[in-house]
Amino acid sequence: MTISHTRLTAAVALTGALVLGAPALAAAAPAAGSASADSSAAAPAVARHAIPFTAATVTQQADGSFTLTWAAPGARNVTVYAGTDADDIRHRKAVAKGAGSATVTVTGLAAADRWFFELVPDRGAPLVVADRSLHLASAPNFRDAGGYRTADGQWVRTGVVYRSGDLSKLTDQDLAKLRRLGIRTVFDLRTPGEQKTAPDRIPAGATAVNANVLGVADTGAFNVTSPQAAVQAMVDAERTMVSADSARTAYHSVLNALVERNDENVLFHCTAGKDRTGWASAALLTALGVPRETVEADYLASNTYRAAEIAATLAQLPSAYQAIYKPLLDVRSEYLAAGFDEVQRKFGSFDGYLKSGLGLDKRDLRDLRSQLLVG
């Protein structure tokens, strides 16, 4: 199947608003009655880890409590402290304690922009974690890009790099929250047409940077006539985001800004926060040495964060078209795999992609890891 660049750009710019051509709907109507890329960018493994945690997650519950789960082999007990600043968590009073591997529930914390939890083991260095979601009703796929463990036992810092979809619906309260969280640079990966249709709302004092991944003025209509064609379009679009000159320029600007961030927090986003943003996150995490399976889990998490949006959009479609459109709304392992396969095909390795595709040399990568990794 040959898919035009225009159709690819439409595929990766999907929102809750449906843009369809007549041929697609016409083709769908009769169906109504019918029943390895590599990880060579990772740093060399070391025998012992300063941070003993091999897993750690935080989930904020609907009642305001937090469920923390961790595993720290070799530690006998872990003490938990909480604070609203990831870099300044006071040890005045512990909010929980547990064994080296445990699940605890923390209650009684006051409302705050975001709670960070410092896990302090009796052996080894502490680790700061937080619920990855910012729980913004106006931007449900707005989340922390960090909090993941690398192959060599380091951790990507929490509260530094954020990813999201559309920002046009952010409220004044949301913007104030993002400013307090230190977001000072916002990369917009969308086309000028998307920007005009849904202008960004960014925190006061933040710098907006246009980084048009698709390199075209607008996305246009997107016509497919079967679920298989929709999947193929998304696979081809993922490849385009690796090899297109405009994409390489855009992703270079994002990663280079993180190399030179000067302690300012960064946000990158597109329309749905899953395709262009998904590859930005995948490239960043892989460059930092995060294992492929973890990168894929982060990529697929958009399906969870966007579940209500996806369901609402599908509900607005004719039943005959829902199965065709769904592959365009969600993310799938095969989409991401196509991106990594394109890296291998075009650049030979992920290191080759970082160097020749994104223009990052060894010093840049060393500085990037110094900025964003702990442990």
Side-chain angles (χ1 to χ4, degrees):
M1 172 182 289
T2 300
I3 298 180
S4 70
H5 182 67
T6 299
R7 294 173 69 189
L8 290 179
T9 60
V12 296
L14 293 169
T15 68
L18 178 59
V19 182
L20 296 175
L25 284 174
S34 59
S36 186
D38 64 58
S39 58
S40 57
V46 294
R48 296 180 63 84
H49 310 313
I51 295 176
F53 296 93
T54 57
T57 60
V58 178
T59 304
Q60 182 176 342
Q61 307 298 338
D63 63 0
S65 66
F66 294 84
T67 301
L68 284 68
T69 299
W70 65 78
R76 290 173 297 186
N77 57 73
V78 174
T79 304
V80 183
Y81 300 93
T84 56
D85 183 341
D87 297 321
D88 186 23
I89 298 177
R90 308 295 175 85
H91 290 191
R92 293 172 180 169
K93 182 181 179 181
V95 295
K97 293 184 179 181
S101 295
T103 296
V104 301
T105 299
V106 176
T107 61
L109 296 180
D113 291 332
R114 199 174 183 204
W115 279 102
F116 298 90
F117 299 89
E118 186 173 14
L119 309 180
V120 183
D122 61 338
R123 299 177 182 179
L127 174 66
V128 175
V129 292
D131 184 344
R132 192 161 281 110
S133 175
L134 265 64
H135 298 278
L136 300 179
S138 59
N141 205 14
F142 200 124
R143 49 187 160 119
D144 201 313
Y148 292 114
R149 188 174 186 266
T150 67
D152 68 350
Q154 294 181 290
W155 285 77
V156 183
R157 291 180 59 189
T158 295
V160 174
V161 185
Y162 295 89
R163 52 174 292 178
S164 182
D166 176 27
L167 304 182
S168 68
K169 300 180 181 65
L170 292 179
T171 66
D172 290 343
Q173 292 77 12
D174 294 335
L175 294 175
K177 175 177 179 175
L178 299 182
R179 176 173 173 76
R180 291 191 293 268
L181 289 174
I183 293 176
R184 297 293 180 264
T185 304
V186 178
F187 283 89
D188 189 342
L189 307 181
R190 302 175 301 164
T191 65
E194 292 171 280
Q195 294 172 359
K196 183 177 181 180
T197 300
D200 267 356
R201 301 199 72 207
I202 66 174
T207 299
V209 181
N210 292 325
N212 182 0
V213 169
L214 302 179
V216 295
D218 208 346
T219 55
F222 183 64
N223 296 315
V224 290
T225 58
S226 71
Q228 295 75 20
V231 168
Q232 186 62 51
M234 298 303 290
V235 165
D236 291 343
E238 195 76 21
R239 293 182 181 277
T240 297
M241 287 186 285
V242 170
S243 57
D245 290 344
S246 57
R248 291 161 54 190
T249 298
Y251 293 131
H252 165 82
S253 68
V254 174
L255 268 64
N256 190 62
L258 293 172
V259 171
E260 304 174 348
R261 52 177 285 271
N262 295 323
D263 294 327
E264 294 184 345
N265 299 338
V266 174
L267 163 67
F268 52 83
H269 83 97
C270 56
T271 293
K274 67 183 184 73
D275 300 312
R276 289 164 288 187
T277 295
W279 182 254
S281 184
L284 171 62
L285 294 177
T286 303
L288 292 173
V290 174
R292 172 74 173 272
E293 60 268 25
T294 305
V295 172
E296 182 175 318
D298 176 73
Y299 178 81
L300 294 176
S302 284
N303 291 336
T304 300
Y305 291 111
R306 299 186 65 247
E309 282 186 297
I310 293 172
T313 300
L314 292 176
Q316 296 174 16
L317 300 177
S319 58
Y321 204 78
Q322 293 177 8
I324 297 176
Y325 196 58
K326 190 175 186 301
L328 308 178
L329 285 173
D330 59 23
V331 287
R332 303 185 180 190
S333 297
E334 61 198 292
Y335 303 167
L336 183 63
F340 281 109
D341 181 71
E342 184 70 4
V343 164
Q344 191 71 24
R345 186 192 70 82
K346 183 88 171 180
F347 302 100
S349 68
F350 204 86
D351 280 339
Y353 170 64
L354 293 173
K355 180 180 179 180
S356 301
L358 302 187
L360 299 175
D361 59 26
K362 290 182 179 179
R363 181 176 179 177
D364 292 329
L365 294 174
R366 183 175 64 248
D367 291 345
L368 180 70
R369 291 162 183 159
S370 176
Q371 287 272 10
L372 298 180
L373 296 179
V374 293

